[in-house]
Amino acid sequence: MVISSSGQHAALLALDWGSSGLRAFLIDAQGQTLASRSSAMGASVMDGKPQAYAQALEQIAGDWLQAQPQLPLPLLACGMVGAKHGWREAPYVDCPASEADLAASSVEVAFGVGQHLRILPGLRYQPQGMPPDVMRGEETQLFGALALHPGLAEAACVVMPGTHSKWAELRDAKVRGFATQMTGELFALLRQHSVLGRLMPEPEAATDSSAFLAGVRAARDAGHLGLGHQLFAVRSLGLTEQLPASGLADYMSGLLIGHELRAGLAWRTAHGLGLAPLLLIGEPELCARYEQGLNVFDGVVALRLDNTAPTGLWRLAQSAGWLQLSH
Amino acid sequence: MVISSSGQHAALLALDWGSSGLRAFLIDAQGQTLASRSSAMGASVMDGKPQAYAQALEQIAGDWLQAQPQLPLPLLACGMVGAKHGWREAPYVDCPASEADLAASSVEVAFGVGQHLRILPGLRYQPQGMPPDVMRGEETQLFGALALHPGLAEAACVVMPGTHSKWAELRDAKVRGFATQMTGELFALLRQHSVLGRLMPEPEAATDSSAFLAGVRAARDAGHLGLGHQLFAVRSLGLTEQLPASGLADYMSGLLIGHELRAGLAWRTAHGLGLAPLLLIGEPELCARYEQGLNVFDGVVALRLDNTAPTGLWRLAQSAGWLQLSH
C-alpha cells in the first residue's frame, strides 16, 4: 500500500493526460493530493501507439504501482488519452452532462500484468442549428471546481484560458453547454510564423502591461472592425513606431484575449449567466492576465482556481465507487 | 530603342515589386503593355541588400535596358522595394493622397552605369483615435483602376483580396482611407501550422464550393460569436464527421473571407460608400471567390479587374512627365 510521509493511504492514481503533457497524482480517500509528477509524454507524441502510452505510464508511476501488487491502486484518466487517436477512444458524451453521465461512459484499457486504466470521455455540445463544440479534460476540471465549491452547482460561468480556451455553463450540477476560443493557438501561430512576429524582439522582453491593456481596450471598442483587421495594427503600430517593439507581443495578446472576452461575455449573457458567478480555472499567471482583461470590460471574477483536474478525477472516482477502500 | 513586334515603342519600364515577387512590364506611351516578365525575387528574399535588388533587376530586364544605351528607358517601381528594409525607403504619404502626392514623394536609386530607378511611396492612413494602417503597392493599383475607369473618381469602394487584403475608399480621385484584413495570411498560418490543418487532406482536394459558402454564411450569421470561436468548428465538424475532411479547408476559407466581408461591408457603410460602386482587383480566381462570398451578403460587384499595377505605374509616370517621349 502506498502511504505518504504523513501516514495517509493513496486511494487513487489520477492522470491528467492532455495533448502536450501528462500529470500524475496520488490522491487519498478524502481527495488530498499526496504526491504529483509530470512529464512531457502527452498524447501528441504517442502517435496513437498503445505501447507508447503504457510505457509513459510505467515511467511516471511504475514505482507507485509496484508498491502494492496484491491490492492494485485504481487508475483514472481524463483528456486526449481518450481521443480517437489516443490510447483508447472514450466517445464524447452529449451536454447537458452530469458526473454520473461521465462515469457511465468511461472505458477501460488493460496494461502491464493484469492492471487496468479507466478513461473518462470528453463532452460534445451541439447548439441548435450551429456547429458542434468539443472538450476533453476540461469537463473533469469543471467537476473538480464543483467538488471544491458546491455552491456553484446552481449556476456558474467558468472560463478555462489556454491553447483552446473554454467558456462553460454549469447548471444544476451539470455541464449544460460550452464554447471554445482558439486564443492561445492563434497567439502562438502569429508569434512564431506571421509577419507580425518578425517585428517582435527575441527573446521575449518583460511583460508590458500597458500595451496588453491597450490591446484589450482596442478589442472592446472594435465596433464593426474584426480581429483580422485589428491584428494588422500590430504591424502598422510597429512600422510607424507608435508602439515600441518590446510591447508588440503584449498588444497582440491583449487584442486576442480582448476579442475572446468580448465574445465570451456576450455568450455568458446569451446563456442567462450575467448574474451567476464568473470563475477562472487554469495556470495562475494566465488567469491573472484574463482577470486584468476582464477589468477592462467591468467583469468581476468571483473565484480563480489552479488546475482542478486532480480534484475532479477524485470526485468522479468517489461518486462512482472506484476509490480503493482503506482497511 | 525597344520596339515591340507590332512596331510600338516602349516608353516605360514598370516594376511591381512586392514581398514575394517581382513583375516587370514594358509599356508604351499610350499605356499598352508590350511585354511582361515575372520572377520570385521579391523584397522578402533580398535581406535589405542593394546589390541583390540591382542583380534581380539586371536579371529580369537587363536585355531591355541594354537595347538603348543612348536614350535610357525610364524605370518606375511600386511596392515593398520602397519599404524601410527595401532597396531605398520611400516614406509613407498620408491619406487623402492624389497621384501628384505620390509622384512628389517618390525617391530615386542609382544602379548599373548611370541608370536610375524611381520608387513610389506607400500610403499611411491614420483614422482619428485609432491605430494607423499602411499599404505599399496597392495605392498604385488604385490609380491604375482610376486610369482605366475615370467614372470611379467621384466615389468607389475597392477591395483588393490577398495575403493582406485592402478595402479602400476613393473620393475625388484621391485615396481617402483604407483598412487591411489579414485574411490570406491567417488562412495560410492555420492551414500549415494549426491543429485545424491536421484534419485536412494533403495534397489539396478540389474546391468544395458548398463548404466554402457554408463557412461564409456561418460568418455572416455569427452574431456575438467571434472568429476565434468559429474557427474551432473546423475541428469539431471534422472530428464529429459533420463535414467531410475534403471540405474543411474550404469551410475555413469561407469563415475567414466571410468575417472579412462582414467587417469590410460595415466599414464601407461607415465610410458612406454604401451606394458607390464596389470593385474587386486582384488574381481572378480569388476575386471570383470573393464575389461568391459577397453574393451571400447581397453585395453587388460593379467591376472585377486583374492586377492594375502596370496601368497605375504608367498613369503616374504619364502625369508626372516621366515617360520617354517618342521621336
Side-chain angles (χ1 to χ4, degrees):
Chain A
M1 162 145 295
V2 181
I3 300 179
S4 76
S5 56
S6 60
Q8 289 170 294
H9 298 174
L12 178 72
L13 175 50
L15 301 166
D16 179 9
W17 208 329
S19 283
S20 58
L22 164 61
R23 286 187 284 187
F25 306 87
L26 269 183
I27 302 180
D28 73 11
Q30 284 70 48
Q32 292 299 312
T33 295
L34 307 177
S36 69
R37 293 173 181 168
S38 66
S39 91
M41 294 290 110
S44 67
V45 296
M46 296 300 175
D47 208 18
K49 294 194 180 103
Q51 63 274 30
Y53 283 97
Q55 206 171 352
L57 179 51
E58 181 62 36
Q59 275 170 9
I60 202 166
D63 56 339
W64 288 346
L65 295 171
Q66 282 156 21
Q68 51 189 113
Q70 303 83 1
L71 193 62
L73 204 57
L75 286 95
L76 183 62
C78 67
M80 294 302 285
V81 65
K84 191 173 282 180
H85 300 290
W87 194 345
R88 171 150 307 170
E89 186 180 6
Y92 292 112
V93 169
D94 282 308
C95 286
S98 66
E99 283 180 9
D101 295 331
L102 283 185
S105 293
S106 64
V107 299
E108 274 201 344
V109 62
F111 70 97
V113 186
Q115 287 179 302
H116 291 86
L117 169 69
R118 197 182 292 268
I119 302 174
L120 291 170
L123 292 184
R124 177 172 53 190
Y125 175 50
Q126 177 76 63
Q128 188 74 34
M130 303 223 306
D133 209 331
V134 292
M135 60 166 58
R136 274 197 192 274
E138 293 91 349
E139 71 296 325
T140 304
Q141 295 205 54
L142 290 169
F143 288 111
L146 276 182
L148 292 168
H149 299 278
L152 299 170
E154 196 188 331
C157 179
V158 185
V159 186
M160 293 175 277
T163 304
H164 299 157
S165 296
K166 306 289 180 186
W167 288 64
E169 175 187 3
L170 293 182
R171 291 269 182 193
D172 305 324
K174 292 181 181 181
V175 182
R176 183 134 129 201
F178 57 91
T180 302
Q181 292 279 353
M182 291 188 64
T183 308
E185 182 163 4
L186 284 171
F187 181 83
L189 287 176
L190 290 161
R191 179 76 182 85
Q192 290 163 34
H193 301 291
S194 82
V195 72
L196 306 182
R198 278 182 230 154
L199 297 176
M200 298 172 189
E202 204 80 64
E204 203 75 36
T207 298
D208 181 338
S209 169
S210 75
F212 171 74
L213 291 173
V216 175
R217 279 192 296 271
R220 180 195 63 190
D221 302 336
H224 57 264
L225 295 170
L227 180 61
H229 169 69
Q230 292 201 301
L231 283 171
F232 193 69
V234 175
R235 179 165 172 80
S236 54
L237 287 168
L239 286 177
T240 59
E241 296 173 6
Q242 295 185 28
L243 204 63
S246 61
L248 294 175
D250 284 298
Y251 183 79
M252 186 168 83
S253 165
L255 278 179
L256 288 164
I257 290 177
H259 273 274
E260 172 179 340
L261 296 176
R262 181 180 155 150
L265 290 171
W267 184 90
R268 177 178 76 144
T269 304
H271 283 244
L273 294 167
L275 297 174
L278 181 64
L279 264 74
L280 284 167
I281 303 181
E283 196 268 304
E285 211 171 307
L286 187 58
C287 285
R289 219 167 162 78
Y290 271 64
E291 188 162 9
Q292 278 177 49
L294 280 161
N295 283 338
V296 172
F297 285 85
D298 293 324
V300 177
V301 175
L303 206 56
R304 243 166 67 183
L305 300 172
D306 204 342
N307 184 11
T308 52
T311 306
L313 288 161
W314 164 79
R315 168 57 167 263
L316 284 155
Q318 189 204 39
S319 305
W322 297 331
L323 291 182
Q324 191 183 80
L325 298 176
S326 47
H327 20 205
Chain B
M1 163 148 292
V2 181
I3 301 179
S4 75
S5 55
S6 60
Q8 288 171 292
H9 299 174
L12 179 71
L13 174 50
L15 302 166
D16 179 8
W17 208 331
S19 283
S20 56
L22 164 60
R23 286 187 284 187
F25 306 87
L26 269 183
I27 302 180
D28 74 11
Q30 284 70 48
Q32 292 300 311
T33 295
L34 306 177
S36 69
R37 293 173 181 168
S38 66
S39 90
M41 293 291 111
S44 67
V45 296
M46 296 300 174
D47 209 17
K49 294 194 180 101
Q51 63 275 28
Y53 283 97
Q55 207 170 353
L57 178 52
E58 181 61 36
Q59 276 171 8
I60 202 166
D63 55 338
W64 288 345
L65 296 171
Q66 281 156 22
Q68 52 191 110
Q70 303 82 359
L71 192 62
L73 204 57
L75 286 95
L76 183 62
C78 67
M80 295 302 284
V81 64
K84 192 174 282 181
H85 301 291
W87 192 347
R88 171 149 308 170
E89 185 179 9
Y92 292 113
V93 169
D94 283 309
C95 286
S98 66
E99 283 180 10
D101 295 330
L102 282 186
S105 292
S106 64
V107 300
E108 274 201 342
V109 63
F111 69 97
V113 185
Q115 289 179 300
H116 291 85
L117 169 69
R118 198 182 291 269
I119 302 175
L120 291 169
L123 292 184
R124 177 171 55 190
Y125 175 50
Q126 177 75 64
Q128 188 75 32
M130 303 223 305
D133 208 331
V134 292
M135 61 166 57
R136 273 198 192 274
E138 292 92 348
E139 70 296 324
T140 304
Q141 296 206 54
L142 290 170
F143 288 112
L146 276 182
L148 292 169
H149 299 278
L152 300 170
E154 196 187 333
C157 179
V158 185
V159 186
M160 293 174 278
T163 304
H164 299 157
S165 296
K166 307 288 181 186
W167 288 63
E169 174 186 4
L170 293 182
R171 291 268 183 195
D172 305 324
K174 292 181 181 181
V175 182
R176 183 133 131 201
F178 57 90
T180 302
Q181 293 279 352
M182 290 188 65
T183 308
E185 182 162 6
L186 284 171
F187 181 83
L189 287 175
L190 290 161
R191 179 76 183 82
Q192 291 163 32
H193 301 291
S194 81
V195 72
L196 306 182
R198 279 182 230 152
L199 297 176
M200 297 171 189
E202 203 81 64
E204 203 75 36
T207 297
D208 181 339
S209 170
S210 74
F212 171 73
L213 291 172
V216 175
R217 278 192 296 270
R220 180 195 63 190
D221 302 335
H224 57 263
L225 294 169
L227 181 60
H229 169 69
Q230 292 201 301
L231 283 171
F232 193 69
V234 176
R235 179 166 172 79
S236 53
L237 287 168
L239 286 177
T240 59
E241 296 174 5
Q242 295 185 27
L243 204 63
S246 61
L248 294 176
D250 284 298
Y251 183 79
M252 186 167 83
S253 166
L255 278 179
L256 288 163
I257 290 177
H259 273 274
E260 172 179 340
L261 296 176
R262 182 180 155 152
L265 290 171
W267 182 90
R268 177 178 76 145
T269 304
H271 282 243
L273 294 167
L275 298 174
L278 181 63
L279 265 74
L280 284 167
I281 302 180
E283 196 269 304
E285 211 172 307
L286 187 59
C287 285
R289 219 168 162 79
Y290 271 64
E291 188 162 10
Q292 278 178 50
L294 279 161
N295 282 339
V296 172
F297 284 86
D298 293 322
V300 177
V301 174
L303 207 55
R304 243 165 66 182
L305 300 172
D306 203 343
N307 185 11
T308 53
T311 306
L313 287 160
W314 165 79
R315 169 56 168 262
L316 284 154
Q318 189 203 42
S319 306
W322 296 331
L323 291 182
Q324 192 183 80
L325 298 176
S326 48
H327 16 207

